[in-house]
Amino acid sequence: MRIDILTALPGLLDSYFNDSILERAQQKGLAEVHVHDLRAFATDKHKRLDDYAFGGGAGMVMLIEPIHRAIEHLKAQRTYDEVIYMSPDGQRLDQPLANRMSTLKNLILLCGHYKGVDERVRQHLVTREISIGDYVLSGGELPAAVLSDALIRLLPGVLNDETSALSDSFQDGLVAPPVYTRPAEYNGWPVPPVLMSGHEARIQAWRHEQSVQRTRERRPDLLDGPEGG
Ligand code: SAH
């Protein structure tokens, strides 16, 4: 998978992709993340990326031209499955959506700023809009990093234990069961004995039971309907 991120603040994203699992995924050649500075596509001598809103009102609006030029520049080099604008009123990101999108090959993620982008970007240049939740952040960089992380960790070979992503919360419509590690007893607080039994079937049954119970307690909405879309 290749992800190209378009942003006015590329520095915000560097550290996130140059560490941990995401860096390993890139070193193994399983994912590539390229961060592009929109300013490189600005046309005027001040390298402006935004301007006042027509009709007045507070807040600046991101110009369509640098965004259009950046997208065309990338599209001239390869075919993209989706051009995604990170937006609080987009489709809400959840695990089923991440699972579906993890099979895509080339993605462009556009990060907005200020009041957002000129509406014509949304009408004519992007193929999808994704939100990471019902709250407003000051820029699309964190949302783009969240989406990238959710997709990349699903790629086969990225996590050391191949089954690990499958046992995460939401993968089967349930939240994950509790996990423990050494010591078996700490400060008088023991680990559930079944986990030390070595009895694989009983352990699996216990984990499933715990998942169902936790889902009922914490996220009963997950038990109500079919997986979200
Ligand atoms: N005026 C806009 C918010 C702009 S926030 C509105 O009310 O909808 C500035 C930028 O941050 C947006 O362009 C978007 O790219 C990003 N952003 C903020 N919150 C987000 C969220 N919950 N999900 C995805 N992107 C978000």
Side-chain angles (χ1 to χ4, degrees):
M1 170 179 286
R2 176 185 168 115
I3 299 178
D4 289 277
I5 302 181
L6 304 179
T7 167
L9 296 170
L12 283 181
L13 289 164
D14 289 344
S15 67
Y16 197 72
F17 291 110
N18 291 326
D19 241 313
S20 77
I21 288 175
L22 298 185
E23 185 204 17
R24 262 205 337 260
Q26 295 185 76
Q27 277 172 359
K28 287 193 206 163
L30 300 169
E32 277 178 59
V33 178
H34 299 269
V35 178
H36 306 273
D37 188 349
L38 277 170
R39 227 163 278 281
F41 299 92
T43 48
D44 75 338
K45 63 174 189 293
H46 303 295
K47 301 276 170 211
R48 273 191 92 91
L49 289 180
D50 60 286
D51 211 331
Y52 297 104
F54 280 131
M60 305 296 275
V61 178
M62 287 180 76
L63 298 163
I64 187 170
E65 193 174 0
I67 294 170
H68 194 192
R69 291 182 59 197
I71 292 172
E72 289 305 311
H73 170 79
L74 290 171
K75 280 186 168 174
Q77 297 167 56
R78 68 193 64 76
T79 304
Y80 284 90
D81 299 299
E82 300 264 12
V83 179
I84 300 165
Y85 175 49
M86 305 311 301
S87 182
D89 60 359
Q91 179 179 11
R92 186 103 61 88
L93 179 63
D94 58 13
Q95 196 61 51
L97 178 59
N99 291 350
R100 286 201 303 278
M101 290 186 64
S102 68
T103 61
L104 300 176
K105 288 284 165 278
N106 297 316
L107 299 176
I108 295 175
L109 308 187
L110 171 63
C111 307
H113 252 278
Y114 323 114
K115 288 304 281 179
V117 298
D118 187 304
E119 185 65 19
R120 290 165 293 184
V121 170
R122 306 177 65 171
Q123 288 171 338
H124 303 293
L125 304 183
V126 309
T127 59
R128 190 191 274 270
E129 301 189 335
I130 293 181
S131 163
I132 62 162
D134 287 350
Y135 41 83
V136 178
L137 301 168
S138 50
E141 287 74 19
L142 285 174
V146 167
L147 176 60
S148 301
D149 187 319
L151 298 181
I152 290 172
R153 69 191 297 285
L154 291 174
L155 300 176
V158 168
L159 299 185
N160 282 335
D161 176 357
E162 294 264 1
T163 62
S164 184
L166 294 176
S167 61
D168 284 329
S169 287
F170 310 116
Q171 279 300 5
D172 49 6
L174 299 172
V175 303
V179 291
Y180 298 85
T181 185
R182 291 181 300 163
E185 180 164 331
Y186 178 74
N187 204 26
W189 303 321
V191 166
V194 60
L195 295 177
M196 324 288 241
S197 68
H199 196 299
E200 185 63 21
R202 271 174 42 206
I203 293 171
Q204 288 311 328
W206 180 85
R207 286 187 169 147
H208 183 70
E209 230 168 73
Q210 291 287 316
S211 276
V212 172
Q213 189 182 322
R214 284 203 160 192
T215 307
R216 207 175 284 130
E217 285 163 11
R218 294 168 184 233
R219 293 297 306 275
D221 57 298
L222 293 177
L223 298 172
D224 289 347
E227 277 195 342

